Amino acid sequence: MAAGRDGVAHQAELRRIEGNVCFKKARLGAAIDCYTEAIALCPDVAVYWMNRALCHFKRKEWAKVEEDSRKALALDHTLVKGHYLLGCALLEKEESALAIKEFEKALILLKSANSTDVMAEEIWQVLAKAKYLDWEKHSTERLWRMQSLKEACESALQEHHFLTGTFEEDSNGSSNECSEHIKLLSEVFSQATIADTPADVPDYLCCQITFEIFRDPVITPSGVTYERATLVEHLHKVGNFDPVTRNPLKEHQLVPNLAIKEAVQAYLKEHSWAYKLN
């Protein structure tokens, strides 16, 4: 019996290897056939489902991406690519809130493994897109509700002044007291929408090279803060010096700027529109 199971597992692995060869050659249909055979032989191996999901991802067959990535995660919930692909499929369905959860799970798994996986940047990009789309969707709803509430409050104020006999018109045909109250009401609602209105991100929260909001800020011995990936690329491709001060600089001298990172996180929590990428 054991020998039989080993033989089936070996056949499934051969199909996976063949599928990988096809995938690298962009023969996605053939790769899908190979992974499907592997799944039929050993349906409890997460990587077979994951590999087929990647093929569907390349083809933008989002329903199939969701189905296969969910099967893979049911077998192994630590698959970073599984959460990433599921998040992408959910984002295509405009389920941004659910997509955000999957992308965040993927980043947490990378962080817990102390991984410098190149996927981290790609995941952050789609996470930012999902968070912006989620803000955009709910911002429209909030603005509509805010305007409806403002109009209801104005009507209630006018009715109150009319019933209490304080709705006295001035020479311009309007009630002084009522007008003042409505003006104050408008100011209150204006203040309530400020945080939800896109504006310029404060300079101290942005990298001096990319001018984009920080994700992983690091500070140099010169006291200048940069986005880590951007500064490391500069050190490798341009030279070992600080881009602003021109002082000598090596990668091991970079220190995480935790204060700025916390400030960015707090800012993004209150201003989700800032997730929009240039």
Side-chain angles (χ1 to χ4, degrees), residues 194 197-206 211 213 267 271 273-274 278:
I194 287 177
T197 302
D200 291 333
V201 177
D203 290 342
Y204 74 95
L205 298 180
C206 298
F211 302 107
I213 194 164
Y267 188 83
H271 308 84
W273 48 262
N278 293 337

Side-chain angles (χ1 to χ4, degrees), residues 19-49:
N20 289 352
V21 172
C22 293
F23 183 85
K24 289 178 181 178
K25 293 180 178 179
R27 295 173 55 208
L28 298 179
I32 289 172
D33 290 341
C34 291
Y35 296 138
T36 301
E37 290 180 28
I39 289 169
L41 291 166
C42 294
D44 58 345
V45 178
V47 69
Y48 301 160
W49 295 97

Side-chain angles (χ1 to χ4, degrees), residues 208-209 218-226 230-232 234-235 238-251 253-254:
Q208 295 193 42
I209 299 176
V218 291
I219 190 168
T220 69
S222 301
V224 184
T225 298
Y226 300 95
T230 303
L231 182 56
V232 168
H234 164 85
L235 296 176
V238 182
N240 290 312
F241 60 90
D242 188 306
V244 171
T245 66
R246 315 293 289 185
N247 291 337
L249 178 65
K250 295 291 183 67
E251 187 174 346
Q253 294 177 284
L254 306 180

Side-chain angles (χ1 to χ4, degrees), residues 127-172:
L127 173 61
K129 178 182 178 181
K131 289 205 171 189
Y132 177 78
L133 290 174
D134 191 60
W135 165 81
E136 191 173 45
K137 173 184 175 183
H138 291 95
S139 176
T140 302
E141 294 173 356
R142 282 193 298 273
L143 286 174
W144 182 84
R145 291 198 303 268
M146 194 80 73
Q147 181 61 30
S148 297
L149 180 59
K150 179 174 177 288
E151 292 173 358
C153 289
E154 288 177 347
S155 296
L157 266 177
Q158 292 172 346
E159 183 177 357
H160 167 74
H161 283 283
F162 179 79
L163 293 174
T164 57
T166 56
F167 194 86
E168 296 178 359
E169 296 183 350
D170 60 16
S171 57
N172 294 321

Side-chain angles (χ1 to χ4, degrees), residues 57 62 65-66 70 83-103 122-135 137:
F57 176 80
W62 301 111
V65 172
E66 180 180 358
R70 286 192 185 278
H83 291 292
Y84 168 72
L85 293 180
L86 178 55
C88 289
L90 292 170
L91 194 56
E92 288 295 323
K93 290 172 62 179
E94 299 184 358
E95 296 181 1
S96 52
L98 294 176
I100 288 168
K101 291 181 180 179
E102 296 303 324
F103 295 140
E122 189 173 351
I123 294 170
W124 195 94
Q125 294 276 343
V126 289
L127 173 61
K129 178 182 178 181
K131 289 205 171 189
Y132 177 78
L133 290 174
D134 191 60
W135 165 81
K137 173 184 175 183

Side-chain angles (χ1 to χ4, degrees), residues 104 107 111 124 127 131 201 204-205 213-217 257-272 274-275:
E104 289 178 338
L107 289 176
K111 185 176 181 181
W124 195 94
L127 173 61
K131 289 205 171 189
V201 177
Y204 74 95
L205 298 180
I213 194 164
F214 284 117
R215 299 192 291 279
D216 185 13
N257 192 329
L258 299 180
I260 289 296
K261 189 168 186 176
E262 289 180 5
V264 166
Q265 291 171 346
Y267 188 83
L268 288 172
K269 187 175 181 180
E270 297 297 325
H271 308 84
S272 295
Y275 275 105

Side-chain angles (χ1 to χ4, degrees), residues 68-120:
D68 279 3
S69 56
R70 286 192 185 278
K71 288 286 183 82
L73 289 170
L75 294 166
D76 183 358
H77 68 278
T78 66
L79 291 170
V80 172
K81 286 185 179 179
H83 291 292
Y84 168 72
L85 293 180
L86 178 55
C88 289
L90 292 170
L91 194 56
E92 288 295 323
K93 290 172 62 179
E94 299 184 358
E95 296 181 1
S96 52
L98 294 176
I100 288 168
K101 291 181 180 179
E102 296 303 324
F103 295 140
E104 289 178 338
K105 287 177 185 176
L107 289 176
I108 289 170
L109 286 168
L110 283 177
K111 185 176 181 181
S112 63
N114 293 318
S115 173
T116 55
D117 198 302
V118 293
M119 275 195 71

